[in-house]
Amino acid sequence: DLEVFFEQERDPVAVRMAAFTPKDPSDRAAFLAHWGRMLANASVTAKAVASLDHLSNGRFVFGIGFGWNADELEDHGVDMRRRRDVAREHVLAMQRLWADDEAAFDGEFVQLPPSWSWPKPVQQPWPPVLIGGAAGPKLFAHVAEYADGWIPIGGAGVRGARRARIR
């Protein structure tokens, strides 16, 4: 049965990565999405994340960043000024794939016809999504819209977040 096959199939890269996840159930496994992998295909990344969540027994945390290297972004066909919009759509499309039995997404950068994606993550509706970046209103707007938390990177960190909140 095709549905059973897709439900049991794991992403091979995720299987290799899972060998290095912490064995203590209180520890969390983390994966920072690299632009090349995430932009190649949202459904491929969704499958890898769901596979890692399964293989880590629901201890997986999905970390993303918007990127800072203009040359690298250009190599992936992403305009530096639109990178946040591109990443946002990829994450929103993945969230649909994780939550819905049959998912579709029609965005400016991601078009996904009605599709199946298995396995589904252990953590429902999906593993925690954390966005890395320097404190600021744009970053916090993204976190509030489609993420579960923030990874402070560069800048003033938490102190900068306090100042941004006070303003």
Side-chain angles (χ1 to χ4, degrees):
D1 176 280
L2 192 57
E3 189 171 324
V4 171
F5 170 77
F6 281 119
E7 191 169 324
Q8 295 174 351
E9 182 188 31
R10 303 291 187 255
D11 178 274
V13 173
V15 170
R16 288 193 299 274
M17 289 176 66
F20 299 99
T21 63
K23 301 302 180 215
D24 183 334
S26 65
D27 289 341
R28 309 275 296 165
F31 171 60
L32 292 176
H34 182 270
W35 270 100
R37 179 142 176 109
M38 189 161 83
L39 294 178
N41 188 318
S43 61
V44 170
T45 305
K47 183 176 209 53
V49 168
S51 295
L52 280 166
D53 196 49
H54 267 267
L55 295 167
S56 67
N57 295 316
R59 295 177 292 113
F60 182 76
V61 175
F62 184 43
I64 67 161
F66 297 122
W68 58 270
N69 186 320
D71 291 336
E72 182 179 36
L73 290 165
E74 184 180 316
D75 285 345
H76 293 292
V78 177
D79 180 338
M80 181 77 162
R81 295 166 302 210
R82 303 292 314 271
R83 69 191 189 278
R84 290 177 183 85
D85 301 322
V86 173
R88 173 186 170 271
E89 279 196 11
H90 277 79
V91 173
L92 291 172
M94 287 186 276
Q95 289 173 336
R96 292 288 39 93
L97 288 163
W98 294 323
D100 301 341
D101 286 339
E102 185 174 283
F105 191 88
D106 186 27
E108 181 180 351
F109 305 102
V110 178
Q111 292 79 42
L112 181 67
S115 305
W116 293 347
S117 181
W118 298 91
K120 298 296 183 194
V122 172
Q123 301 174 85
Q124 287 295 312
W126 47 73
V129 175
L130 305 180
I131 300 177
K138 283 184 185 177
L139 178 88
F140 294 143
H142 282 277
V143 171
E145 180 188 359
Y146 61 90
D148 302 293
W150 169 48
I151 305 169
I153 296 174
V158 175
R159 266 187 250 131
R162 283 194 203 122
R163 280 194 297 275
R165 189 186 73 218
I166 292 169
R167 289 182 200 154

